[in-house]
Amino acid sequence: MPIWIILKLLGSLALLMFGMKTMSEALQKMAGPQLRHVLGAMTTNRFTGMLTGTLVTASVQSSTATTVMTVSFVNAGLLTLAQAISVIMGANIGTTLTAWIMSAGMSFDVSSLSYPAFLIGIILIYHKKHRYIGDFLFGIAFLIFALATLRTTGQDMHLGENQSVLDFFASFDPDSFLTTLIFLLLGGILTFCVQSSAAVMAITMILCSSGALPIYQGIALVMGENIGTTVTSNLAAMSANTQARRAALAHMFFNVFGVIWILFVFRPFIDMVCGWVGYDVTMTKDTTDTATFLANAAKLSFVLAAFHTSFNVANTFILIWFIPQIERFVCWVIKPKKDDEEEDFRLHFITAGFMKTPELSVLEAQKEIQAFSERMQRMFNMVIDLLSLSSSASAKGKNAQTGDFNKLFTRIEKYEGISDNMELEIAKYLDSVSDAHLSDDTKAKIRAMLREISELESIGDACYNMARTINRKYNGKQDHFTERQYDHLHQMMGLTDQSLAQMNMLMSGRKESYDINRTFNIEHEINNYRNQLKTQNIVDINNHEYTYAVGTIYMDLINECEKLGDYVVNVVEARMGIRQK
């Protein structure tokens, strides 16, 4: 076989994979927010969840994208694991549309359709307003062109007339169960290596439609592809959190279970599908003329697509009734990690394996920033508790509280290190996302998110500065704060905590429903109270209520609360899309 034909085949497969990726990403850019809203809103029960998964996957032509979105919703608490499993089942049905597109491309000469798509696509790409439609058309054009090239390459290879190829496949006993298992394993390994079930499906269609590969072995390859694609997602989920790994395992369980039961009814099921398509299973090259044999074999691409759809629909129909049992099984297999998540620095939503498209990556980063924001409020509450311990020590004696005080101060120190690490890791992740071709909306989101994490890290610094000031006061020889000073500090910290609570309400909800004036009002209240206490502090020092050194430490804490309030306002403005003055 000439080397240029092999290179043409491999190049066409690469173009097919690139075309599908480009088309999928363009669709997600056009409809990403709406798709996320649909996923969150239309999963009230297992059937609507399954239907939603089917429609979304058929729309974006990527079951991986649907699975990643679904897992991110589970992590955010918008979907239960059971609802996610139903969506993943639907995604398996939605992805079968790809096989039908490919079978049509393999059966008819559609190359002429790619050229107008290229022309219109390049025109739209240079029009800023419609460039995503242009990207989509380019992806479609690459896909069509690749399928047409694969079709002609398959014909040029004359596999159905190549005796050595025919002898190789004939060496496997078609009636042997072992042959089915070998091809099933081969399909899984190929899919895992190529990282694209579409590419392996295209190879299978070329082999079958040329008459070289018998239908039973071809379908065994397709079944292997279904398992191979879940191995990839499970390996990617190994570094992810518990719910992501459970969702990936549920996906694998769904496909493995389907393959197991289909093996018991293998030939009858395939014969039934062949009957629907009009393919004669009994026809061989020896029993008829070559033209009739090849015409019959040409229907095999449709048989593969029909089997792929029938298999996933039947499997979903069986397993959709057992979603609670599947949920219990994956929860039993994958136990939650025992690490104290608050004390252990680890990004819970961002994982290298799940960074599939820029739009989805930004969604993951948003949830990571939300977790960062909540962690900073917990850190501030520790500072309040540290002040309370300091107050108790002044009343009951230092020795009774020293152990608890030092332990809490150490925790705050650790949180300060965590906040630094989170800022760096999220910024690094967003930097890698920004290297991709992004929409203007996504670019603006990334700029805002970089500003958010910088301000959140400043909140962590402010909390640590307050903790160090309290620690210095606790371990120093200065006089204790007066009872009135403690009251003022707790009141100021209470206002600051309110501003942090408002910030987290915005970070976890929809910004359209948030009233930013609440944050501004609390900030004005903090500023006014700081000015009032500053004036009062000078009067109290002059009246010898306490020493100048105690007054300085007292005002340091008050001023740090006011600075923290400013950082909160900056986070809120970044989230709301208000530019920095």
Side-chain angles (χ1 to χ4, degrees), residues 347 350 421-434 446 449-450 453:
L347 297 180
I350 291 173
N421 288 332
M422 288 192 80
E423 181 196 17
L424 289 172
E425 290 299 318
I426 297 171
K428 191 193 301 180
Y429 181 79
L430 288 172
D431 187 51
S432 66
V433 174
S434 63
I446 289 177
M449 289 159 81
L450 287 169
I453 59 173

Side-chain angles (χ1 to χ4, degrees), residues 6-112:
I6 295 172
L7 290 173
K8 193 175 176 183
L9 176 69
L10 294 175
S12 302
L13 288 171
L15 199 58
L16 174 75
M17 291 161 67
F18 179 74
M20 289 203 67
K21 183 176 182 290
T22 305
M23 184 178 71
S24 176
E25 287 185 359
L27 281 164
Q28 288 175 63
K29 285 174 188 172
M30 285 191 286
Q34 289 82 357
L35 288 176
R36 290 197 286 274
H37 179 68
V38 166
L39 260 182
M42 287 184 60
T43 50
T44 51
N45 60 57
R46 65 186 78 181
F47 298 104
T48 55
M50 182 266 292
L51 185 62
T52 304
T54 303
L55 294 174
V56 170
T57 306
S59 300
V60 299
Q61 281 297 291
S62 172
S63 59
T64 302
T66 307
T67 304
V68 172
M69 278 194 281
T70 304
V71 169
S72 68
F73 276 130
V74 174
N75 291 335
L78 299 175
L79 290 180
T80 64
L81 183 59
Q83 287 173 318
I85 292 169
S86 68
V87 173
I88 289 168
M89 286 181 178
N92 269 36
I93 296 174
T95 197
T96 62
L97 179 63
T98 307
W100 286 104
I101 293 170
M102 291 172 66
S103 64
M106 291 286 186
S107 303
F108 308 105
D109 184 9
V110 290
S111 59
S112 54

Side-chain angles (χ1 to χ4, degrees), residues 434-537:
S434 63
D435 290 338
H437 178 55
L438 303 172
S439 65
D440 291 338
D441 183 44
T442 304
K443 285 178 186 173
K445 279 181 187 174
I446 289 177
R447 284 194 297 271
M449 289 159 81
L450 287 169
R451 183 180 161 198
E452 286 167 25
I453 59 173
S454 174
E455 299 295 344
L456 285 169
E457 194 276 332
S458 297
I459 291 173
D461 288 344
C463 290
Y464 184 50
N465 289 339
M466 280 189 272
R468 283 195 304 174
T469 303
I470 296 168
N471 185 54
R472 190 170 70 247
K473 170 76 178 63
Y474 182 81
N475 292 310
K477 295 181 179 178
Q478 297 93 346
D479 294 333
H480 295 296
F481 289 140
T482 65
E483 191 174 329
R484 193 169 64 160
Q485 281 179 307
Y486 275 120
D487 288 343
H488 291 160
L489 282 168
H490 282 297
Q491 192 170 343
M492 183 60 141
M493 287 183 170
L495 284 171
T496 310
D497 192 45
Q498 280 181 42
S499 70
L500 284 164
Q502 286 296 319
M503 176 185 76
N504 280 316
M505 191 185 298
L506 169 63
M507 301 299 274
S508 61
R510 295 175 69 85
K511 64 182 181 181
E512 293 82 7
S513 59
Y514 182 76
D515 183 6
I516 197 171
N517 289 321
R518 295 176 189 171
T519 294
F520 290 149
N521 290 340
I522 296 172
E523 169 62 9
H524 291 319
E525 204 173 335
I526 289 172
N527 289 343
N528 293 336
Y529 195 48
R530 187 274 311 265
N531 295 337
Q532 179 189 329
L533 293 177
K534 188 176 180 181
T535 305
Q536 186 64 46
N537 180 58

Side-chain angles (χ1 to χ4, degrees), residues 174 176-177 179-181 183-184 208 213-223 259 261-282 299-300 302-308 310-311 314:
S176 171
F177 183 69
T179 299
T180 304
L181 291 180
F183 277 86
L184 192 145
C208 286
L213 181 66
I215 182 59
Y216 298 111
Q217 283 92 312
I219 282 179
L221 278 177
V222 172
M223 287 160 58
V259 166
W261 73 256
I262 208 77
L263 285 173
F264 286 99
V265 291
F266 189 60
R267 285 183 175 264
F269 193 89
I270 294 171
D271 292 344
M272 177 183 70
V273 173
C274 290
W276 292 342
V277 177
Y279 172 76
D280 187 353
V281 186
T282 59
K299 298 176 184 175
L300 280 173
F302 286 107
V303 173
L304 290 171
F307 171 81
H308 197 213
S310 304
F311 166 72

Side-chain angles (χ1 to χ4, degrees), residues 111-249:
S111 59
S112 54
L113 296 174
S114 63
Y115 302 111
F118 276 126
L119 177 63
I120 298 168
I122 198 68
I123 293 169
L124 291 175
I125 284 171
Y126 282 101
H127 282 74
K128 199 172 182 182
K129 190 177 177 183
H130 302 294
R131 73 169 180 267
Y132 305 129
I133 301 173
D135 286 341
F136 170 71
L137 286 173
F138 244 60
I140 282 280
F142 278 128
L143 178 65
I144 292 170
F145 187 75
L147 288 171
T149 310
L150 281 169
R151 177 174 177 269
T152 55
T153 306
Q155 290 171 347
D156 292 343
M157 292 168 80
H158 302 293
L159 293 172
E161 299 166 21
N162 189 317
Q163 197 56 44
S164 59
V165 174
L166 292 172
D167 290 342
F168 171 76
F169 287 119
S171 66
F172 294 94
D173 181 4
D175 299 320
S176 171
F177 183 69
L178 180 62
T179 299
T180 304
L181 291 180
I182 289 170
F183 277 86
L184 192 145
L185 184 65
L186 185 63
I189 293 169
L190 276 173
T191 305
F192 175 70
C193 293
V194 178
Q195 295 279 299
S196 170
S197 57
V200 182
M201 175 68 86
I203 294 169
T204 309
M205 285 183 174
I206 289 172
L207 288 169
C208 286
S209 58
S210 65
L213 181 66
I215 182 59
Y216 298 111
Q217 283 92 312
I219 282 179
L221 278 177
V222 172
M223 287 160 58
E225 291 158 24
N226 273 5
I227 295 176
T229 194
T230 64
V231 173
T232 306
S233 61
N234 272 272
L235 288 175
M238 283 177 71
S239 61
N241 55 42
T242 303
Q243 292 293 63
R245 289 183 293 127
R246 285 172 176 170
L249 180 62

